[in-house]
């Protein structure tokens, strides 16, 4: 008599769940692990090198200062527009650095970070490196998620292809090496989707874990809220498909699917609350900045959110940002407001050409290849929804708002290997090699990367600005260049960043506050400021001669 399978403990594998093809026996079982180690090692080397060489970007002092304040004051006081989990990750490195902290200093969130780095007797190079290291470790861990997800879809070779695309992505390397929140948020979302994919076979284990990962994303950055409906739908779908193939659970499938979505929601909400409780068990909230009043549907949405008051005030701050008329820059055009096609255009510039080709081919393969088709909603739906939400934002500041794209589509790109054509594997390998060469050529200048079709990193500033190219990261390199090649020159500086030029030995004046005829010598301007130059600064640049560039983000003129 055939033994009856228990529907939960020993579930049958649904027939539409793609399983990797059986791996051929090889005399080199060490090859794939070696490739994985090499890919992660080169990524780690690139990120650590970048972290060591770059001065604080515009946002980092805010997060580092907030992390230090939370460690010492055990209270949420700064940066409510972002929940605390990502800053708790950064706080691990800040705690290891043991910087001097001045509890008597009071100022806004930007001033607190600048004071910690430059005015409290600390070494900003050391503090920033330690603050960035936990994000680097987390970024590498997300690489393992990419590897595992792709391997489950198309086998070991697919896992290596996906990890290679992830590990050589200039955007992932650039932002994964900074003490910021974009990569952690995207990585937690990818992890949640991967766990929901696995829930098709073991829902009792993976549905709650997916809720933990989703909660981690929500507790890191509020932009993750856009993914919540997709995650809940995927949770319900995974359990539905699991139960619908078992005659004992088929009738209960709708109720269990709804329950799975509820579990993800409840667990995610609990993780958000826990992140605030870790900082302050009493949940005190005394905002140090103005919290705008929100009206209409936005006010109703904020009031209905089952999160702490600090989280809801942070949402109000975010809505206030959305009402601000920010300036953008795209393909030489300076504009006020936002362009719906900004992010797709920026991704086209800042993604390696081979990666773009593999993304497109992988997306088609996931939809067209029968055994991969069940994975399409898990890989393509979250990417599309998150990208659509990001495209509606008012801040055209960089592809960091879409850093989830190279993560999700790296997994989808591995689907190319499922195409039963002899040339598929060769073409995928050639394109991965093209991506690797393009990425290695930009080392260590990953923030200003652009692909060969747009002239490489030296030309990025002609088409994009802000965190796409110039985020204040090259102040230290500028100091070295001025000291080595332009000693004793008069320096006029327009710097866009959070660093303090005098700390690095740059003795400079602002040319915008003196008569034009008094500005002689070296005019040094951040490329984001060049892109947005008007009136006096534009006149100064037009009457000067470009003689040098630092880190592809700062231009030196002679006047």
């Amino acid at each position: 008599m055939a033994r009856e399978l228990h529907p939960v403990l020993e579930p049958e594998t649904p027939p539409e769940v793609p399983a990797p093809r059986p791996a051929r026996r090889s005399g080199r079982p060490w090859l794939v692990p070696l490739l994985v180690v090499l890919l992660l090692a080169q990524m780690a080397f690139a990120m650590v090198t970048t972290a060591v060489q770059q001065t604080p970007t515009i946002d980092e002092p805010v997060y580092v200062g907030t992390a230090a304040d939370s460690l010492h004051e055990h209270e949420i006081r700064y940066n409510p527009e972002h929940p605390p989990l990502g800053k708790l990750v950064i706080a691990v490195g800040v705690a290891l650095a043991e910087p001097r902290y001045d509890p008597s200093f009071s100022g806004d969130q930007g001033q607190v970070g600048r004071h910690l780095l430059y005015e409290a007797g600390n070494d900003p190079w050391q503090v920033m490196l330690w603050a960035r290291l936990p994000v680097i470790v987390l970024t590498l861990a997300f690489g393992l998620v990419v590897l595992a997800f792709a391997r489950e879809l198309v086998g070991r070779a697919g896992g290596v292809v996906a990890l290679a695309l992830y590990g050589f992505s200039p955007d992932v390397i650039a932002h994964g090496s900074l003490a910021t929140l974009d990569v952690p948020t995207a990585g937690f979302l990818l992890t949640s989707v991967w766990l929901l994919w696995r829930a098709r076979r073991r829902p009792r284990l993976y549905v709650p874990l997916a809720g933990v990962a989703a909660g981690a994303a929500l507790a890191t950055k509020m932009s993750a809220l856009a993914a919540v409906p997709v995650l809940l739908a995927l949770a319900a779908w995974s359990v539905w498909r699991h139960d619908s193939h078992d005659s004992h659970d088929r009738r209960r499938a709708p109720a269990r699917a709804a329950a799975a979505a509820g579990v993800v929601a409840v667990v995610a909400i609990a993780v958000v609350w826990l992140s605030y409780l870790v900082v302050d068990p009493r949940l005190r909230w005394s905002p140090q900045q103005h919290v705008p009043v929100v009206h209409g549907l936005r006010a109703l949405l904020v009031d209905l959110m089952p999160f702490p008051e600090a989280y809801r005030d942070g949402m109000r701050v975010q809505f206030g940002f959305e009402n601000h008329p920010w300036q953008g820059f795209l393909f030489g055009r300076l504009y006020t407001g936002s362009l719906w096609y900004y992010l797709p255009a920026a991704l086209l510039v800042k993604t390696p050409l081979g990666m773009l080709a593999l993304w497109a081919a992988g997306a088609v393969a996931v939809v067209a290849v029968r055994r991969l088709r069940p994975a399409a909603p898990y890989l393509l739906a979250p990417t599309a929804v998150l990208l659509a939400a990001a495209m509606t934002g008012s801040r055209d500041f960089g592809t960091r708002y879409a850093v989830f794209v190279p993560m999700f589509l790296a997994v989808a790109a591995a689907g190319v290997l499922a195409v039963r054509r002899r040339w598929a594997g060769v073409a995928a390998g050639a394109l991965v090699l093209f991506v690797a060469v393009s990425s290695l050529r930009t080392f260590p200048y990953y923030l200003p990367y652009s692909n060969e079709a747009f002239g490489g990193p030296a030309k990025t500033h002609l088409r994009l600005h802000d965190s796409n190219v110039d985020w204040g990261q090259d102040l230290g390199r500028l100091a070295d260049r001025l000291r080595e090649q332009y000693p004793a020159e008069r320096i006029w500086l327009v710097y866009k960043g959070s660093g303090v030029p005098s700390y690095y030995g740059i003795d400079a004046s602002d040319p915008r506050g003196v008569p034009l005829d008094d500005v002689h010598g070296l005019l040094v301007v951040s490329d984001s400021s060049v892109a947005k130059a008007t009136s006096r600064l534009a006149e100064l640049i037009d009457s000067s001669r470009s003689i040098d560039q630092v880190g592809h983000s700062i231009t030196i003129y002679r006047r």
Side-chain angles (χ1 to χ4, degrees), residues 258-284:
V263 167
V264 170
V266 170
V267 172
I269 292 169
V271 171
V272 173
W273 278 89
L274 181 61
S275 69
Y276 282 87
L277 290 169
V278 167
V279 177
D280 182 7
R282 291 182 288 176
L283 290 178
R284 292 169 294 175

Side-chain angles (χ1 to χ4, degrees), residues 185 189 214 217-219 221-229 231 386:
T185 303
L189 288 174
L218 294 173
K221 202 171 181 186
M222 293 177 185
S223 59
L225 286 166
V228 170
L231 297 178
L386 286 167

Side-chain angles (χ1 to χ4, degrees), residues 35-387:
L35 289 174
V36 170
V37 170
L38 290 176
L39 288 170
L40 290 176
Q42 74 80 26
M43 189 181 193
F45 179 80
M47 289 192 294
V48 172
T49 302
T50 302
V52 168
Q53 295 184 4
Q54 291 186 160
T55 43
T57 58
I58 290 175
D59 286 1
E60 285 182 292
V62 174
Y63 303 142
V64 173
T66 301
D69 183 77
S70 298
L71 283 172
H72 290 85
E73 303 299 331
H74 303 289
E75 184 178 358
I76 302 289
R77 301 196 302 172
Y78 299 105
N79 195 230
E81 60 266 33
H82 297 302
L85 182 59
K87 287 165 284 189
L88 288 173
V89 172
I90 295 169
V92 173
V94 174
L96 293 173
E98 298 183 338
R100 296 184 182 91
Y101 174 78
D102 181 5
S104 65
F105 181 79
S106 61
D108 63 31
Q109 58 188 26
Q111 293 168 339
V112 166
R114 196 174 302 114
H115 179 79
L116 176 76
L117 293 174
Y118 296 106
E119 300 168 8
N122 296 308
D123 180 355
W125 292 105
Q126 180 184 22
V127 174
M128 287 308 307
L129 175 59
W130 280 102
R132 290 165 173 168
L133 285 176
V135 181
I136 291 174
V137 172
L138 199 57
T139 303
L140 295 171
F142 293 142
L144 296 177
V145 174
V146 169
L147 171 71
F149 202 163
R151 180 171 179 171
E152 290 175 13
L153 292 178
V154 289
R156 292 181 298 175
V160 172
V161 167
L163 180 60
L165 293 181
Y166 177 87
F168 285 114
S169 169
D171 267 348
V172 174
I173 293 173
H175 296 286
S177 60
L178 300 176
T180 54
L181 311 177
D182 301 290
V183 167
T185 303
F188 286 133
L189 288 174
L190 176 68
T191 303
S192 181
V193 170
W194 170 57
L195 292 169
L196 290 173
W197 170 255
R198 305 201 95 194
R200 296 165 68 92
R201 290 174 177 159
R202 298 184 64 186
R204 289 190 177 182
L205 173 62
Y206 290 114
V207 166
L209 290 177
V212 172
L218 294 173
T220 301
K221 202 171 181 186
M222 293 177 185
S223 59
L225 286 166
V228 170
V230 181
L231 297 178
L232 298 184
L234 290 176
W237 178 250
S238 292
V239 173
W240 177 285
R241 298 311 300 167
H242 173 273
D243 290 348
S244 65
H245 290 278
D246 191 297
S247 59
H248 296 280
D249 284 341
R250 192 171 298 165
R251 293 181 179 179
R252 295 183 296 170
R256 286 166 59 89
V263 167
V264 170
V266 170
V267 172
I269 292 169
V271 171
V272 173
W273 278 89
L274 181 61
S275 69
Y276 282 87
L277 290 169
V278 167
V279 177
D280 182 7
R282 291 182 288 176
L283 290 178
R284 292 169 294 175
W285 169 229
S286 53
Q288 302 296 305
Q289 67 185 80
H290 171 67
V291 177
V293 177
V294 180
H295 302 282
L297 290 177
R298 288 178 172 180
L300 179 62
L301 175 65
V302 171
D303 292 337
L304 291 176
M305 283 290 163
F307 298 130
E309 183 62 24
Y311 194 104
R312 286 182 280 140
D313 272 354
M315 290 187 65
R316 295 182 178 100
V317 173
Q318 289 285 5
F319 283 136
F321 288 156
E322 290 300 305
N323 292 329
H324 188 82
W326 304 98
Q327 281 190 316
F329 182 81
L330 180 64
F331 295 131
R333 174 192 170 193
L334 180 66
Y335 58 91
T336 299
S338 60
L339 303 175
W340 68 267
Y341 54 85
Y342 171 84
L343 275 176
L347 285 168
L348 186 65
V349 174
K350 291 188 62 63
T351 303
L353 296 173
M355 192 175 293
L356 289 171
L358 282 169
W359 286 356
V364 171
V366 167
V367 174
V369 177
R370 183 177 180 182
R371 72 187 185 92
L372 295 183
R373 205 169 293 153
Y378 295 82
L379 293 173
L380 303 184
T383 307
V385 169
L386 286 167
L387 184 59

Side-chain angles (χ1 to χ4, degrees), residues 284-542:
R284 292 169 294 175
W285 169 229
S286 53
Q288 302 296 305
Q289 67 185 80
H290 171 67
V291 177
V293 177
V294 180
H295 302 282
L297 290 177
R298 288 178 172 180
L300 179 62
L301 175 65
V302 171
D303 292 337
L304 291 176
M305 283 290 163
F307 298 130
E309 183 62 24
Y311 194 104
R312 286 182 280 140
D313 272 354
M315 290 187 65
R316 295 182 178 100
V317 173
Q318 289 285 5
F319 283 136
F321 288 156
E322 290 300 305
N323 292 329
H324 188 82
W326 304 98
Q327 281 190 316
F329 182 81
L330 180 64
F331 295 131
R333 174 192 170 193
L334 180 66
Y335 58 91
T336 299
S338 60
L339 303 175
W340 68 267
Y341 54 85
Y342 171 84
L343 275 176
L347 285 168
L348 186 65
V349 174
K350 291 188 62 63
T351 303
L353 296 173
M355 192 175 293
L356 289 171
L358 282 169
W359 286 356
V364 171
V366 167
V367 174
V369 177
R370 183 177 180 182
R371 72 187 185 92
L372 295 183
R373 205 169 293 153
Y378 295 82
L379 293 173
L380 303 184
T383 307
V385 169
L386 286 167
L387 184 59
M391 288 167 61
T392 64
S394 65
R395 288 164 282 182
D396 291 351
F397 289 165
T399 53
R400 63 189 179 95
Y401 291 108
V403 75
F404 52 84
V405 173
M407 295 187 181
F408 280 87
L409 294 190
V411 180
V416 172
L417 298 184
V419 177
R420 297 188 176 183
R421 295 290 186 274
R422 292 182 178 180
W423 50 263
V426 176
L431 289 171
V432 168
L433 182 59
F434 186 19
V435 170
V437 171
S438 184
S439 178
L440 293 172
R441 287 180 62 190
T442 199
F443 174 86
Y445 306 110
Y446 291 99
L447 267 176
Y449 173 86
S450 66
N451 62 47
E452 290 76 8
F454 293 95
K459 302 294 184 181
T460 312
H461 68 281
L462 301 176
R463 298 169 178 89
L464 299 165
H465 80 320
D466 207 83
S467 61
N468 283 315
V469 56
D470 165 34
W471 217 13
Q473 73 272 13
D474 285 322
L475 191 60
R477 293 187 177 111
L478 173 63
D480 293 339
R481 183 71 56 83
L482 294 175
R483 183 174 57 255
E484 295 168 2
Q485 298 189 19
Y486 306 100
E489 294 258 18
R490 178 66 189 274
I491 309 299
W492 301 89
L493 177 64
V494 179
Y495 167 67
K496 185 183 188 303
S498 294
V500 176
S502 59
Y503 176 86
Y504 301 95
I506 300 175
D507 182 13
S509 303
D510 191 332
R512 295 168 293 185
V514 300
L516 292 178
D517 292 340
D518 291 349
V519 180
H520 297 286
L522 297 183
L523 175 64
V524 182
V525 188
S526 293
D527 284 338
S528 289
S529 297
V530 175
K532 299 167 65 174
T534 58
S535 59
R536 178 182 291 270
L537 181 57
E539 189 173 349
L540 283 168
I541 293 172
D542 291 342

